[in-house]
Amino acid sequence: MLIDLHSHTTASDGQLSPKELVNRAENRQVHMLAITDHDTVDGLLDAKKAITDNKLNLTLINGIEISTNWLNHEIHVIGVNIDPSSIALTSLITEQKEKRQARAIEMGLRLSKANIPNAYEGAKSLAGDGAITRAHFARYLIQIGVGSSNKKIFQHYLSKGNTGYVPHHWVNLDHAISIIHQAKGEAILAHPTHYNLSNKWIRSLLSSFKSLGGDAMEVAMGQQEPSKRLQLALWSNEYGLKASQGSDFHFVGQWRDLGKSLALPDITTPIWIKWPIFSQLTKSIG
Ligand code: AMP
Ligand code: MN
Ligand code: MN
Ligand code: MN
């Protein structure tokens, strides 16, 4: 059974609409898919509707990826099986949306001082009604020829210490975990190896995440060295966190795809193992 618990749509910085995303997931024979847009649940309704209308053989897990602050690091936390209408979650989303908006305007100002005008307007028009992210700025900067790849644009303009970087003010990690729990969901630490942290710091993060009530951590991601996956699996056991897997799909590219190259090492405890929906699916498809 193919399970993918991390993906994005046009509700944030993904390039497929919720409807296109669920269709692609079904085509790729994913059985269970979480949509986890950055600080928003806006894509979930359309995705659900597309599944029902087209009778897709796909179970949607309601999710979100929340940007948080931990000791001044930007750490992403995924909530799965959340109630999207939870009042606590809704008010957190409103707060984060305002922060994203203010940060985007400030990024535009900083970039214009560096002789790159209209970056806010360009990014905003790419984001449309969706949550505006640095990925939209990157796409705009590539469009106008400032750089040739996402990687370079982040390296030179958008990551910490660069011209277009604005210090973040995201919600604290402990608060995000508590809000996910109030919304009846489970909290997963996203991509622990993507924060530019040394192993010592990753361990410290895992230990904090666990002691703050975190439930699981991502162990299997697309595009990952087997030794790294195994290391994460060992850590998930050591820190008593369940294991999750997700592609972090944003667009159709050469390497990443929904459900692609995702499998948890046997030593882990998958986060979905006790989910009623998982037993039902196991019974129906084996
Ligand atoms: P934000 O949440 O607005 O800070 O935007 C973060 C998003 O930008 C991430 O979810 C990725 O999609 C993208 N991103 C961050 N860092 C990089 C990078 N080094 N290269 C490419 N994309 C990145
Ligand atoms: Mn993203
Ligand atoms: Mn992330
Ligand atoms: Mn993501």
Side-chain angles (χ1 to χ4, degrees):
M1 182 186 319
L2 272 187
I3 296 173
D4 190 334
L5 297 183
H6 189 162
S7 70
H8 297 273
T9 74
T10 47
S12 66
D13 58 356
Q15 295 187 25
L16 301 190
S17 68
K19 185 178 170 183
E20 289 165 336
L21 188 85
V22 292
N23 276 305
R24 187 173 185 88
E26 204 221 24
N27 281 332
R28 291 194 44 80
Q29 299 179 321
V30 171
H31 287 106
M32 191 153 73
L33 174 77
I35 291 181
T36 56
D37 275 308
H38 297 288
D39 299 305
T40 180
V41 291
D42 285 352
L44 298 176
L45 260 184
D46 281 355
K48 191 102 220 157
K49 186 173 177 330
I51 290 173
T52 313
D53 290 353
N54 302 304
K55 301 193 172 64
L56 300 186
N57 181 19
L58 176 71
T59 298
L60 179 71
I61 302 294
N62 288 329
I64 187 168
E65 181 172 15
I66 302 176
S67 295
T68 78
N69 168 56
W70 175 73
L71 305 179
N72 237 358
H73 296 285
E74 286 185 63
I75 302 298
H76 290 179
V77 179
I78 288 185
V80 285
N81 285 323
I82 45 158
D83 167 8
S85 63
S86 143
I87 290 170
L89 182 63
T90 306
S91 90
L92 175 83
I93 289 173
T94 305
E95 247 176 66
Q96 297 272 105
K97 207 174 253 174
E98 284 162 5
K99 288 176 181 172
R100 280 194 173 277
Q101 181 61 19
R103 182 190 63 159
I105 290 173
E106 179 68 23
M107 284 175 71
L109 286 174
R110 291 193 188 202
L111 289 165
S112 73
K113 282 185 192 147
N115 289 322
I116 303 172
N118 304 321
Y120 168 72
E121 292 75 9
K124 183 79 189 165
S125 101
L126 288 170
D129 291 335
I132 187 164
T133 73
R134 281 185 292 166
H136 297 106
F137 279 86
R139 275 166 67 194
Y140 177 70
L141 296 190
I142 290 171
Q143 266 182 19
I144 62 169
V146 167
S148 55
S149 73
N150 242 325
K151 194 173 170 194
K152 282 192 185 151
I153 295 279
F154 269 90
Q155 242 169 25
H156 297 298
Y157 295 95
L158 303 180
S159 52
K160 209 169 189 169
N162 290 124
T163 326
Y165 182 80
V166 174
H168 66 91
H169 300 283
W170 303 126
V171 57
N172 281 329
L173 178 62
D174 57 341
H175 190 55
I177 295 171
S178 142
I179 297 282
I180 288 169
H181 288 159
Q182 286 173 57
K184 309 268 186 287
E186 288 176 278
I188 305 169
L189 178 65
H191 42 65
T193 46
H194 292 186
Y195 301 118
N196 252 332
L197 299 174
S198 65
N199 281 357
K200 192 172 154 212
W201 274 92
I202 296 176
R203 282 174 165 282
S204 167
L205 172 60
L206 297 176
S207 162
S208 295
F209 189 73
K210 173 69 182 179
S211 68
L212 295 171
D215 302 284
M217 61 183 269
E218 281 186 336
V219 167
M221 296 160 246
Q223 278 267 287
Q224 182 185 36
E225 285 169 34
S227 62
K228 279 216 171 130
R229 187 173 295 185
L230 185 60
Q231 174 67 81
L232 288 166
L234 291 168
W235 280 335
S236 78
N237 284 351
E238 182 178 342
Y239 290 95
L241 291 163
K242 285 176 273 187
S244 186
Q245 65 185 37
S247 61
D248 203 359
F249 179 85
H250 283 76
F251 51 85
V252 179
Q254 203 176 352
W255 307 111
R256 281 190 195 211
D257 214 328
L258 291 166
K260 187 170 175 177
S261 312
L262 300 175
L264 289 176
D266 287 344
I267 54 170
T268 57
T269 306
I271 185 172
W272 55 81
I273 205 85
K274 288 189 177 156
W275 291 356
I277 188 69
F278 176 67
S279 332
Q280 282 170 33
L281 282 172
T282 313
K283 272 183 212 136
S284 66
I285 56 184

